[in-house]
Amino acid sequence: MRKRTLVSVLFLFSLLFLLPDQGRKLHANAEDSSDEVTDPPKVEEKIGGHGGLSTDSDVVHRESESMSKKTLRSNAEKFEFQAEVSRLMDIIINSLYSNKDIFLRELISNASDALDKIRFLALTDKDVLGEGDTAKLEIQIKLDKAKKILSIRDRGIGMTKEDLIKNLGTIAKSGTSAFVEKMQSSGDLNLIGQFGVGFYSAYLVADYIEVISKHNDDSQYVWESKADGKFAVSEDTWNEPLGRGTEIRLHLRDEAGEYLEESKLKDLVKRYSEFINFPISLWASKEIETEVPVEEDESTDEETETPSTEEEKEEDAEEEDGEKKQKTKKVKETVYEWELLNDVKAIWLRSPKEVTEEEYIKFYHSLSKDFTEEKPMAWSHFNAEGDVEFKAVLYVPPKAPHDLYESYYNSNKANLKLYVRRVFISDEFDELLPKYLSFLKGLVDSDTLPLNVSREMLQQHSSLKTIKKKLIRKALDMIRKLAEEDPDEIHDDDKKDVEKSGENDEKKGQYTKFWNEFGKSIKLGIIEDAANRNRLAKLLRFETTKSDGKLTSLDQYIKRMKKGQKDVFYITGSSKEQLEKSPFLERLIKKGYEVIFFTDPVDEYLMQYLMDYEDKKFQNVSKEGLKVGKDSKDKELKEAFKELTKWWKGNLASENVDDVKISNRLADTPCVVVTSKFGWSANMERIMQSQTLSDANKQAYMRGKRVLEINPRHPIIKELKDRIASDPEDESVKETAQLMYQTALIESGFLLNDPKDFAARIYNSVKSSLKISLDAVVDEEVEAAEEPETSEATETKSDDLAGGLNIEAEPVEQQEENTKDEL
């Protein structure tokens, strides 16, 4: 028994000695393992300030290695960028432009779009937002100066694995190509947001990017790339769960250190993203004063000091009498918290009187993603009340989009954002404005439209027609006001009443600029919008025979019309220079009439719809029906030239000429060809023939009947009259009449059906003028006979060649033997 007791005691003593030693070994091992990872990265506090799952040391170690080496993870799925994306990224990465600030506004803009999408989905399904912090729709920016990482996070819709590959690895070729072409021509990186390629601007400041994203329908994935033509996507098992949304981590270049400064980021958000509709917060530092307990040695020193005033003595006495309190002191401490950067109320919710011009311009840049220095030409901010209530802001951009008219009727692109009760619904809703006003940018916030309905139902909503009607009226009023405020648009009679000022100088030429950019849209509006045709006609501008190169309006034209003039005269063609020399204008200019020049192809269609203005009819001076006063000798001339016109018409029967008449529009030209009043003009025929899918058989129905008009005062016409009277069967006269008709066709703007025949007649005319017989033929070409080369000649050439190279000509067999010896 005693032996057992003794053994137990000895065993206990041995345990007591072993345990401290084992504890020291464990502690030493822990220290050794901590030394293996130099400067192990701490798990960052989850963006958003709430707790999350912790990560083990192995995961942190792997993440640290990946971030320090900036290489794609070995277990990730690798992909290659689309060729267009690689081309785009090369331009951005190698960009020498100083304005690299745009990357932040593009990433914030993308984050805002993602938040808009999830908020829209939440209208019909509230569960998509989740709970707690995940349900907060916000954008957060965080810095890690030690690792040179800038993070931008949103709680938007997020991206699935497929979305990451599709959205960040490939892009619509048209958008990329258009951006690259624009970049090469203008070199302006500010254009990047307008082409849907804003994400890649991040490579202006970063050489390695991670995109962590979580979509409700998929796991959390990481997209990463060094912009070397490849990217990788892998399931995220090491970062904090996002809940939902996207976090972009930019590993900044060495030269981009300025973007790790809080002041720089605050300035960029204030400048570019002030009017984003979601809160943007920065994890910012600030100094605060806190009271901390005073250490014992400090308190002892304070006690030894003698009170200097009676008040201090009383205080000390009170302290002695009362319960002894712990002494504290104030110290400055640096703390971090989320700081809201965009606390400005949405512009459209404020009164127009409260918003400054600078704020309107900033809001336009934010809305349109156009961050050039040019400000919008005009804007209109208004509240509509009544049966349908809504608020709207409309802008006229400084420049037309590059593809505004390329796919005008096929494009559903709209530049108006639709909100319903401050909730963003869509920016692809093209029912708010007609196509011809699609160049306007802005937003509409309606209190009348329902929130939780489909787009198809919204299009049928009765309030939409009322909103559209009011928007059109306000848009046209805004454009009309732009013209009225332009000093160049003021009539000469009214200029003396206008005082020149700096404001007027700034607005000078604005409407001319607008017309050069968007004039075609106004013309298309006249064609498409019958209800507003007269309003749009007031906005028309054109050059005339009396405008001295400046644009004029229909109102100004009518004001300058001659007494007794009933019609508005115009002519269509390919260029002003060509029209100025047109024979159709000769007599009109001579009599002092003003004629409008229409040189845009769309003008031909325009004038088919714009039949009159202010009770004045429009008259194309190249068509029948022109009335330019009355000539007292008209009847006499018709009678005198009756025989010639009848003969000429019969001679041109094969040319589909409807009639030959005496002209009232010619002064110096012998003859012209005009068309019937309701048929195509020569210019319209040329336009239709140049169409890709034109059908010549169908066009025959629309071609106007051609009428040859002759000038009875011209010497050629007088001579022809006399020749016909003496010998109507004279072949030379018939040839001359045919040649004159073909020449008149060309001068009147028509295309010849048989150019070869016309050329032959010209050459015959030249022969006659040179007194060369019409039967003279071209001399036959004499071909020199080729003589075969003789063997002697061939040997001579070989000898000459060998001599020129200082080589002795050798027989072929000898050359072969020499070659073998050399080998």
Side-chain angles (χ1 to χ4, degrees), residues 705-723:
K705 293 181 179 179
R706 295 175 182 177
V707 176
L708 177 65
E709 289 192 359
I710 60 174
N711 183 359
R713 299 172 183 82
H714 199 281
I716 295 178
I717 302 300
K718 287 180 178 180
E719 182 64 24
L720 275 176
K721 173 178 169 290
D722 295 339
R723 294 282 185 96

Side-chain angles (χ1 to χ4, degrees), residues 75 128 134 222 241 328 354 378 381 392 488 558 622 627 665 710 726:
N75 62 340
V128 298
T134 307
V222 176
T328 60
E354 297 175 1
H381 179 192
D488 288 346
I558 290 174
S622 68
K627 296 177 182 178
R665 70 188 86 212
I710 60 174
S726 60

Side-chain angles (χ1 to χ4, degrees), residues 281-322:
S281 302
L282 175 67
W283 188 245
S285 63
K286 72 173 185 177
E287 288 188 345
I288 59 171
E289 286 189 348
T290 57
E291 291 189 355
V292 297
V294 179
E295 296 180 5
E296 290 184 5
D297 53 347
E298 292 182 8
S299 61
T300 306
D301 294 340
E302 289 177 4
E303 287 174 4
T304 56
E305 293 178 2
T306 307
S308 58
T309 61
E310 291 295 328
E311 291 179 359
E312 290 179 2
K313 289 179 182 180
E314 290 177 4
E315 289 176 3
D316 291 345
E318 288 176 3
E319 285 180 4
E320 289 175 4
D321 294 340

Side-chain angles (χ1 to χ4, degrees), residues 458-474:
L458 200 59
Q459 287 174 336
Q460 304 299 325
H461 200 276
S462 57
S463 299
L464 201 63
K465 291 182 179 179
T466 308
I467 293 175
K468 184 175 182 178
K469 188 175 179 181
K470 289 186 178 181
L471 284 174
I472 293 173
R473 190 174 71 249
K474 286 289 186 181

